[in-house]
Amino acid sequence: SMKRYALLALMLGFLYFIPNYLWFVCLGMPNAPVEIVTAVFNTSVASAYVFAVVFLKERLVCGKVLAVVVSICGAFLTSLANGGSKFDAGSFINPAALLTFFAAVLYGLWEVLYKKYGVKDSTPPLLLCFILGSYGLAHLFVFWVFFIPFNYFGWEPFRFPSTGQFQLIAFNAFLGTMYNVSFMAALALLPSPVFVSVAGLMTIPLSALSDYLLHGTTLGALQITGVALIVFGFGMFLKYDYWDATSEDEGPEYAIMPNGKEEEETNNAWE
């Protein structure tokens, strides 16, 4: 019903708002270079898998776990290479990194809850457009109230942007809208939010390739290694996800269950 989707828009919209806001907060904190924040936030792939096992009853398959780990390692290496930083374990143990990790966990939770309660595999396109638009309406008419306390206490002083800033904000909003519409549509139409999350990391090697072809940017060994790991991890996850889906016609198989034991089960992965 419309009432249900309006309520979901408020709850899921708020859950979506928190990690995205924390992302910008972390970027403004001391000792928080963008490459470290990006690397830590990419761990949302792992949290999405954990929450998918809990809420969507996805099976914890060794091959998929390894693919997620490989992809995250590739994202770490690429992010660090882009920032020109040397690896320093201390960079990942500070308030900004811990807050970013919390944001990544919440983002993974939002992906799974959006898939479970917001949309279904058979969601009509018109209803999907309404759901996506309701997020914007919720932020426009409800969440703007956070401007008042944030400005009053000096957490986020509000100022009208200059003409140049407004143009950049508008362009960024357009690109963000295109990305979010594509991402949310993929979450709705594809069976696994974890697959969508892992596939989202493919924007990293595509960006590196675009920089190389269009701008002649030199790719270092660390960046090439990270890109290769992301592509390999995505291919591995795609392979095991395909096997997981097609095995429904081949009888029961063994998978690692959430309780850590190997049990034989029938393949009702998406029920």
Side-chain angles (χ1 to χ4, degrees), residues 50-79:
V50 172
F51 288 123
V53 171
V54 175
F55 292 102
L56 300 179
K57 308 304 179 185
E58 283 201 31
R59 294 181 302 170
L60 197 60
V61 181
C62 283
K64 290 185 178 182
V65 173
L66 182 59
V68 169
V69 172
V70 169
S71 297
I72 292 176
C73 289
F76 261 77
L77 290 178
T78 308
S79 298

mmCIF file of all heavy atoms in Angstrom, residues 50-79:
data_model
loop_
_atom_site.group_PDB
_atom_site.id
_atom_site.type_symbol
_atom_site.label_atom_id
_atom_site.label_comp_id
_atom_site.label_asym_id
_atom_site.label_seq_id
_atom_site.Cartn_x
_atom_site.Cartn_y
_atom_site.Cartn_z
ATOM 1 N N VAL A 50 27.268 -10.302 5.282
ATOM 2 C CA VAL A 50 26.877 -10.784 6.615
ATOM 3 C C VAL A 50 25.390 -10.557 6.848
ATOM 4 O O VAL A 50 24.666 -11.464 7.295
ATOM 5 C CB VAL A 50 27.698 -10.076 7.710
ATOM 6 C CG1 VAL A 50 27.164 -10.437 9.098
ATOM 7 C CG2 VAL A 50 29.178 -10.440 7.596
ATOM 8 N N PHE A 51 24.902 -9.360 6.533
ATOM 9 C CA PHE A 51 23.490 -9.060 6.742
ATOM 10 C C PHE A 51 22.595 -9.843 5.772
ATOM 11 O O PHE A 51 21.444 -10.161 6.114
ATOM 12 C CB PHE A 51 23.238 -7.558 6.592
ATOM 13 C CG PHE A 51 23.781 -6.741 7.725
ATOM 14 C CD1 PHE A 51 24.689 -5.710 7.503
ATOM 15 C CD2 PHE A 51 23.399 -6.999 9.033
ATOM 16 C CE1 PHE A 51 25.197 -4.955 8.546
ATOM 17 C CE2 PHE A 51 23.897 -6.253 10.086
ATOM 18 C CZ PHE A 51 24.799 -5.229 9.847
ATOM 19 N N ALA A 52 23.105 -10.159 4.575
ATOM 20 C CA ALA A 52 22.324 -10.961 3.633
ATOM 21 C C ALA A 52 22.135 -12.374 4.163
ATOM 22 O O ALA A 52 21.078 -12.993 3.971
ATOM 23 C CB ALA A 52 23.013 -10.993 2.267
ATOM 24 N N VAL A 53 23.158 -12.892 4.833
ATOM 25 C CA VAL A 53 23.037 -14.217 5.454
ATOM 26 C C VAL A 53 21.992 -14.186 6.569
ATOM 27 O O VAL A 53 21.183 -15.106 6.723
ATOM 28 C CB VAL A 53 24.404 -14.682 5.992
ATOM 29 C CG1 VAL A 53 24.250 -15.950 6.838
ATOM 30 C CG2 VAL A 53 25.380 -14.922 4.848
ATOM 31 N N VAL A 54 21.981 -13.106 7.330
ATOM 32 C CA VAL A 54 21.072 -13.002 8.480
ATOM 33 C C VAL A 54 19.631 -12.733 8.032
ATOM 34 O O VAL A 54 18.699 -13.426 8.470
ATOM 35 C CB VAL A 54 21.536 -11.888 9.436
ATOM 36 C CG1 VAL A 54 20.515 -11.687 10.565
ATOM 37 C CG2 VAL A 54 22.903 -12.211 10.011
ATOM 38 N N PHE A 55 19.426 -11.754 7.161
ATOM 39 C CA PHE A 55 18.075 -11.309 6.819
ATOM 40 C C PHE A 55 17.503 -11.981 5.574
ATOM 41 O O PHE A 55 16.286 -12.183 5.490
ATOM 42 C CB PHE A 55 18.051 -9.794 6.608
ATOM 43 C CG PHE A 55 18.279 -9.001 7.862
ATOM 44 C CD1 PHE A 55 19.515 -8.423 8.134
ATOM 45 C CD2 PHE A 55 17.265 -8.837 8.797
ATOM 46 C CE1 PHE A 55 19.733 -7.692 9.278
ATOM 47 C CE2 PHE A 55 17.472 -8.111 9.956
ATOM 48 C CZ PHE A 55 18.711 -7.545 10.202
ATOM 49 N N LEU A 56 18.345 -12.305 4.607
ATOM 50 C CA LEU A 56 17.860 -12.877 3.356
ATOM 51 C C LEU A 56 18.109 -14.377 3.258
ATOM 52 O O LEU A 56 17.764 -14.998 2.257
ATOM 53 C CB LEU A 56 18.519 -12.173 2.158
ATOM 54 C CG LEU A 56 18.279 -10.668 2.048
ATOM 55 C CD1 LEU A 56 19.010 -10.101 0.832
ATOM 56 C CD2 LEU A 56 16.790 -10.354 1.968
ATOM 57 N N LYS A 57 18.750 -14.936 4.280
ATOM 58 C CA LYS A 57 19.044 -16.369 4.339
ATOM 59 C C LYS A 57 19.921 -16.825 3.183
ATOM 60 O O LYS A 57 19.794 -17.953 2.694
ATOM 61 C CB LYS A 57 17.734 -17.186 4.363
ATOM 62 C CG LYS A 57 16.745 -16.761 5.435
ATOM 63 C CD LYS A 57 17.354 -16.791 6.818
ATOM 64 C CE LYS A 57 16.366 -16.338 7.883
ATOM 65 N NZ LYS A 57 16.982 -16.252 9.232
ATOM 66 N N GLU A 58 20.796 -15.949 2.733
ATOM 67 C CA GLU A 58 21.776 -16.382 1.730
ATOM 68 C C GLU A 58 22.742 -17.356 2.377
ATOM 69 O O GLU A 58 23.069 -17.244 3.557
ATOM 70 C CB GLU A 58 22.551 -15.188 1.165
ATOM 71 C CG GLU A 58 21.780 -14.369 0.157
ATOM 72 C CD GLU A 58 22.699 -13.548 -0.739
ATOM 73 O OE1 GLU A 58 23.841 -14.005 -0.994
ATOM 74 O OE2 GLU A 58 22.279 -12.468 -1.177
ATOM 75 N N ARG A 59 23.221 -18.288 1.574
ATOM 76 C CA ARG A 59 24.176 -19.256 2.098
ATOM 77 C C ARG A 59 25.569 -18.651 2.163
ATOM 78 O O ARG A 59 25.965 -17.891 1.292
ATOM 79 C CB ARG A 59 24.175 -20.511 1.228
ATOM 80 C CG ARG A 59 22.864 -21.267 1.294
ATOM 81 C CD ARG A 59 22.906 -22.498 0.452
ATOM 82 N NE ARG A 59 23.200 -22.174 -0.950
ATOM 83 C CZ ARG A 59 23.489 -23.096 -1.856
ATOM 84 N NH1 ARG A 59 23.540 -24.362 -1.518
ATOM 85 N NH2 ARG A 59 23.723 -22.740 -3.108
ATOM 86 N N LEU A 60 26.297 -19.011 3.203
ATOM 87 C CA LEU A 60 27.664 -18.534 3.377
ATOM 88 C C LEU A 60 28.587 -19.511 2.657
ATOM 89 O O LEU A 60 29.044 -20.494 3.222
ATOM 90 C CB LEU A 60 28.005 -18.437 4.862
ATOM 91 C CG LEU A 60 29.224 -17.606 5.253
ATOM 92 C CD1 LEU A 60 29.057 -16.161 4.807
ATOM 93 C CD2 LEU A 60 29.435 -17.673 6.749
ATOM 94 N N VAL A 61 28.873 -19.233 1.391
ATOM 95 C CA VAL A 61 29.665 -20.119 0.545
ATOM 96 C C VAL A 61 31.126 -19.681 0.571
ATOM 97 O O VAL A 61 31.426 -18.483 0.455
ATOM 98 C CB VAL A 61 29.121 -20.103 -0.902
ATOM 99 C CG1 VAL A 61 29.925 -21.045 -1.791
ATOM 100 C CG2 VAL A 61 27.646 -20.488 -0.915
ATOM 101 N N CYS A 62 32.027 -20.639 0.706
ATOM 102 C CA CYS A 62 33.458 -20.323 0.829
ATOM 103 C C CYS A 62 33.955 -19.513 -0.369
ATOM 104 O O CYS A 62 34.715 -18.550 -0.208
ATOM 105 C CB CYS A 62 34.263 -21.624 0.937
ATOM 106 S SG CYS A 62 34.198 -22.405 2.557
ATOM 107 N N GLY A 63 33.556 -19.906 -1.575
ATOM 108 C CA GLY A 63 34.003 -19.220 -2.772
ATOM 109 C C GLY A 63 33.572 -17.761 -2.800
ATOM 110 O O GLY A 63 34.341 -16.877 -3.196
ATOM 111 N N LYS A 64 32.347 -17.501 -2.369
ATOM 112 C CA LYS A 64 31.856 -16.121 -2.336
ATOM 113 C C LYS A 64 32.566 -15.308 -1.271
ATOM 114 O O LYS A 64 32.879 -14.122 -1.484
ATOM 115 C CB LYS A 64 30.339 -16.112 -2.082
ATOM 116 C CG LYS A 64 29.498 -16.614 -3.241
ATOM 117 C CD LYS A 64 28.025 -16.444 -2.941
ATOM 118 C CE LYS A 64 27.157 -16.887 -4.104
ATOM 119 N NZ LYS A 64 25.712 -16.689 -3.840
ATOM 120 N N VAL A 65 32.823 -15.920 -0.124
ATOM 121 C CA VAL A 65 33.547 -15.220 0.939
ATOM 122 C C VAL A 65 34.937 -14.824 0.451
ATOM 123 O O VAL A 65 35.391 -13.684 0.646
ATOM 124 C CB VAL A 65 33.659 -16.107 2.197
ATOM 125 C CG1 VAL A 65 34.564 -15.453 3.235
ATOM 126 C CG2 VAL A 65 32.282 -16.369 2.791
ATOM 127 N N LEU A 66 35.614 -15.760 -0.212
ATOM 128 C CA LEU A 66 36.948 -15.477 -0.736
ATOM 129 C C LEU A 66 36.896 -14.379 -1.796
ATOM 130 O O LEU A 66 37.768 -13.498 -1.838
ATOM 131 C CB LEU A 66 37.554 -16.749 -1.326
ATOM 132 C CG LEU A 66 38.983 -16.628 -1.874
ATOM 133 C CD1 LEU A 66 39.942 -16.173 -0.778
ATOM 134 C CD2 LEU A 66 39.443 -17.961 -2.464
ATOM 135 N N ALA A 67 35.870 -14.411 -2.647
ATOM 136 C CA ALA A 67 35.726 -13.385 -3.687
ATOM 137 C C ALA A 67 35.533 -12.001 -3.078
ATOM 138 O O ALA A 67 36.102 -11.016 -3.561
ATOM 139 C CB ALA A 67 34.541 -13.735 -4.592
ATOM 140 N N VAL A 68 34.737 -11.915 -2.011
ATOM 141 C CA VAL A 68 34.514 -10.636 -1.332
ATOM 142 C C VAL A 68 35.811 -10.126 -0.723
ATOM 143 O O VAL A 68 36.164 -8.943 -0.841
ATOM 144 C CB VAL A 68 33.421 -10.787 -0.254
ATOM 145 C CG1 VAL A 68 33.378 -9.552 0.644
ATOM 146 C CG2 VAL A 68 32.054 -10.988 -0.905
ATOM 147 N N VAL A 69 36.559 -11.017 -0.076
ATOM 148 C CA VAL A 69 37.829 -10.625 0.555
ATOM 149 C C VAL A 69 38.821 -10.140 -0.495
ATOM 150 O O VAL A 69 39.498 -9.115 -0.320
ATOM 151 C CB VAL A 69 38.424 -11.805 1.353
ATOM 152 C CG1 VAL A 69 39.825 -11.472 1.850
ATOM 153 C CG2 VAL A 69 37.527 -12.149 2.534
ATOM 154 N N VAL A 70 38.924 -10.851 -1.619
ATOM 155 C CA VAL A 70 39.841 -10.471 -2.688
ATOM 156 C C VAL A 70 39.468 -9.103 -3.260
ATOM 157 O O VAL A 70 40.329 -8.247 -3.500
ATOM 158 C CB VAL A 70 39.852 -11.537 -3.805
ATOM 159 C CG1 VAL A 70 40.599 -11.032 -5.040
ATOM 160 C CG2 VAL A 70 40.501 -12.820 -3.306
ATOM 161 N N SER A 71 38.170 -8.875 -3.471
ATOM 162 C CA SER A 71 37.710 -7.595 -4.015
ATOM 163 C C SER A 71 38.020 -6.442 -3.064
ATOM 164 O O SER A 71 38.447 -5.359 -3.491
ATOM 165 C CB SER A 71 36.204 -7.656 -4.295
ATOM 166 O OG SER A 71 35.910 -8.625 -5.279
ATOM 167 N N ILE A 72 37.790 -6.652 -1.764
ATOM 168 C CA ILE A 72 38.076 -5.610 -0.776
ATOM 169 C C ILE A 72 39.566 -5.312 -0.722
ATOM 170 O O ILE A 72 39.981 -4.146 -0.650
ATOM 171 C CB ILE A 72 37.549 -6.025 0.608
ATOM 172 C CG1 ILE A 72 36.012 -6.042 0.607
ATOM 173 C CG2 ILE A 72 38.047 -5.074 1.688
ATOM 174 C CD1 ILE A 72 35.404 -6.533 1.901
ATOM 175 N N CYS A 73 40.406 -6.357 -0.779
ATOM 176 C CA CYS A 73 41.861 -6.143 -0.790
ATOM 177 C C CYS A 73 42.271 -5.320 -2.011
ATOM 178 O O CYS A 73 43.115 -4.428 -1.915
ATOM 179 C CB CYS A 73 42.583 -7.488 -0.790
ATOM 180 S SG CYS A 73 42.482 -8.396 0.767
ATOM 181 N N GLY A 74 41.649 -5.621 -3.166
ATOM 182 C CA GLY A 74 41.942 -4.849 -4.364
ATOM 183 C C GLY A 74 41.535 -3.394 -4.227
ATOM 184 O O GLY A 74 42.255 -2.481 -4.657
ATOM 185 N N ALA A 75 40.374 -3.172 -3.596
ATOM 186 C CA ALA A 75 39.907 -1.799 -3.381
ATOM 187 C C ALA A 75 40.844 -1.052 -2.433
ATOM 188 O O ALA A 75 41.137 0.134 -2.624
ATOM 189 C CB ALA A 75 38.484 -1.813 -2.823
ATOM 190 N N PHE A 76 41.349 -1.746 -1.394
ATOM 191 C CA PHE A 76 42.304 -1.138 -0.468
ATOM 192 C C PHE A 76 43.564 -0.709 -1.206
ATOM 193 O O PHE A 76 44.027 0.434 -1.063
ATOM 194 C CB PHE A 76 42.664 -2.143 0.628
ATOM 195 C CG PHE A 76 41.917 -1.945 1.910
ATOM 196 C CD1 PHE A 76 40.599 -2.347 2.025
ATOM 197 C CD2 PHE A 76 42.523 -1.360 3.009
ATOM 198 C CE1 PHE A 76 39.893 -2.173 3.208
ATOM 199 C CE2 PHE A 76 41.827 -1.174 4.190
ATOM 200 C CZ PHE A 76 40.512 -1.586 4.291
ATOM 201 N N LEU A 77 44.127 -1.607 -2.002
ATOM 202 C CA LEU A 77 45.373 -1.311 -2.697
ATOM 203 C C LEU A 77 45.201 -0.157 -3.677
ATOM 204 O O LEU A 77 46.046 0.743 -3.753
ATOM 205 C CB LEU A 77 45.867 -2.557 -3.447
ATOM 206 C CG LEU A 77 46.373 -3.714 -2.586
ATOM 207 C CD1 LEU A 77 46.785 -4.885 -3.471
ATOM 208 C CD2 LEU A 77 47.539 -3.278 -1.709
ATOM 209 N N THR A 78 44.080 -0.169 -4.412
ATOM 210 C CA THR A 78 43.845 0.889 -5.390
ATOM 211 C C THR A 78 43.642 2.235 -4.719
ATOM 212 O O THR A 78 44.158 3.262 -5.184
ATOM 213 C CB THR A 78 42.618 0.550 -6.254
ATOM 214 O OG1 THR A 78 42.758 -0.763 -6.803
ATOM 215 C CG2 THR A 78 42.465 1.543 -7.398
ATOM 216 N N SER A 79 42.905 2.254 -3.620
ATOM 217 C CA SER A 79 42.663 3.507 -2.911
ATOM 218 C C SER A 79 43.956 4.084 -2.357
ATOM 219 O O SER A 79 44.216 5.287 -2.449
ATOM 220 C CB SER A 79 41.658 3.279 -1.772
ATOM 221 O OG SER A 79 40.408 2.844 -2.272
#
